[in-house]
Amino acid sequence: MMTMKSLYLICGVALGFVLAASASMAETNTGEAAPSIIHPRVEQSLISELRLVYPASDISLVGGIRWDKGSLPEQIEQIRLTQDHGNGDVRFLIRGSAEAEGTISFQAFKRAWIPVRRIAPGTALKREYFRLERINVAAGMERELRGLILPENAEIDSLETRQTLLEGQFVQLTQVQRVHDVKRGEPVQVRMKAGDVTLSTLGTAEEPAYLDQPVRVLIQKTKRSLAGKLTERGWVEVNL
C-alpha cells in the first residue's frame, strides 16, 4: 500500500519533468533553439570564404548554426559571408529555394613565433630564442594584428630586432628586420672613382646598410664623410 510520503515523492519527480519540459519549450518559443547541424556544402563554403579573410590559417567551425532568419533551404544556390563580428562569430546568407541567414562560431589558428625570454633591440635572432605556438586569430588583439604576425616560414636566423620583444607575446613584422650587411661603425674598404681613376682606402660605415643600397662612410685618412653604395660585403663604391 502506497504511503503519503511515497505519493509526495512521485508527484515531486513528475513535477520536475514537467517544469524541465516547459522550460525547453519556452526556450524554443523565444527563438533560442539549439544550433542545427552543419550541412557539408555549407561548411565547405564557409571555410573557403573564411580563408580569404584569414589567409594561411587553419579554419574550423565550432558548434552548429544559429538561424537568425529562416532555416536551411532544400536547394542551395549561393552562400556568402555578410558580417564578421570580430569575436569568433560570423554571419552568413544562403540563397536557393528560400533565403536564410545564420550565425556560426569559428576558429582560425596560425603558428606564431613566441619569445621564450625578453629580447633587446638590435639582437640577432636565433631559433632557440623562440617557440612556435598555435594562436587563434579569430578574435581579440590576435585578430586585429593577424596581418602583422611574423609567418611560420620566416628565416628567423636572418633577422634582428628593431624593438624589444617581450616573452610570451607573438612577434610582429614591424618588430624585426633583416640583418644589415654592414652595421654602423664597421670598417669597410672604400673604392673611390673619378672618371678612369680608381683609388681604394679604408673607411667606417656611418650607418647600417644592405647590399646595393646607399650608405655614408667616413674616410679614415681625411675624416671626410662621403655617400656611396654597398656593392659587396665590406666594400663601398663612391663616385666622385
Side-chain angles (χ1 to χ4, degrees):
M1 181 176 180
M2 184 178 295
T3 64
M4 291 297 295
K5 183 176 181 181
S6 299
L7 182 60
Y8 286 140
L9 180 60
I10 293 172
C11 290
V13 172
L15 180 61
F17 281 116
V18 171
L19 291 175
S22 299
S24 178
M25 292 177 62
E27 185 179 20
T28 301
N29 292 334
T30 57
E32 298 295 332
S36 64
I37 298 174
I38 308 172
H39 188 281
R41 181 178 172 186
V42 175
E43 180 179 23
Q44 181 181 6
S45 296
L46 292 178
I47 289 177
S48 296
E49 291 268 323
L50 286 167
R51 281 179 178 147
L52 299 177
V53 184
Y54 300 86
S57 298
D58 182 13
I59 309 291
S60 61
L61 303 182
V62 181
I65 298 171
R66 287 96 70 190
W67 292 107
D68 304 308
K69 173 187 173 183
S71 60
L72 182 68
E74 291 184 3
Q75 296 180 350
I76 301 173
E77 296 177 1
Q78 181 189 29
I79 304 171
R80 64 180 179 87
L81 301 182
T82 57
Q83 184 180 4
D84 185 347
H85 295 287
N87 61 354
D89 286 348
V90 68
R91 187 181 176 95
F92 61 94
L93 172 69
I94 298 181
R95 287 196 175 103
S97 54
E99 186 172 288
E101 289 183 279
T103 300
I104 194 166
S105 300
F106 72 98
Q107 294 178 328
F109 282 97
K110 295 184 73 170
R111 283 165 63 86
W113 295 93
I114 311 293
V116 296
R117 63 174 179 82
R118 189 185 184 96
I119 304 175
T123 302
L125 299 182
K126 296 182 180 180
R127 178 64 182 81
E128 56 263 32
Y129 296 166
F130 303 89
R131 68 177 185 273
L132 275 170
E133 183 176 302
R134 277 166 49 93
I135 61 173
N136 185 10
V137 297
M141 181 180 68
E142 290 81 0
R143 176 183 179 275
E144 298 301 319
L145 299 176
R146 66 187 183 279
L148 294 176
I149 296 174
L150 184 69
E152 175 186 1
N153 61 356
E155 296 180 2
I156 202 74
D157 293 329
S158 68
L159 302 175
E160 62 185 4
T161 52
R162 298 181 63 184
Q163 60 189 76
T164 301
L165 303 183
L166 299 178
E167 179 181 354
Q169 296 188 7
F170 60 81
V171 181
Q172 301 175 45
L173 290 169
T174 55
Q175 295 176 314
V176 295
Q177 62 188 6
R178 185 162 57 88
V179 175
H180 287 95
D181 294 302
V182 65
K183 294 185 177 181
R184 180 180 179 181
E186 281 190 3
V188 291
Q189 292 284 337
V190 182
R191 186 183 295 118
M192 296 184 291
K193 291 185 175 182
D196 296 331
V197 179
T198 300
L199 297 175
S200 295
T201 187
L202 295 177
T204 304
E206 294 189 299
E207 57 190 350
Y210 298 110
L211 287 175
D212 298 321
Q213 290 193 351
V215 61
R216 294 197 68 84
V217 292
L218 182 68
I219 305 303
Q220 291 186 5
K221 288 184 177 180
T222 63
K223 304 303 180 185
R224 182 184 176 187
S225 180
L226 298 174
K229 183 172 75 171
L230 187 65
T231 56
E232 55 185 291
R233 196 171 188 87
W235 281 89
V236 174
E237 188 172 292
V238 175
N239 290 315
L240 300 174

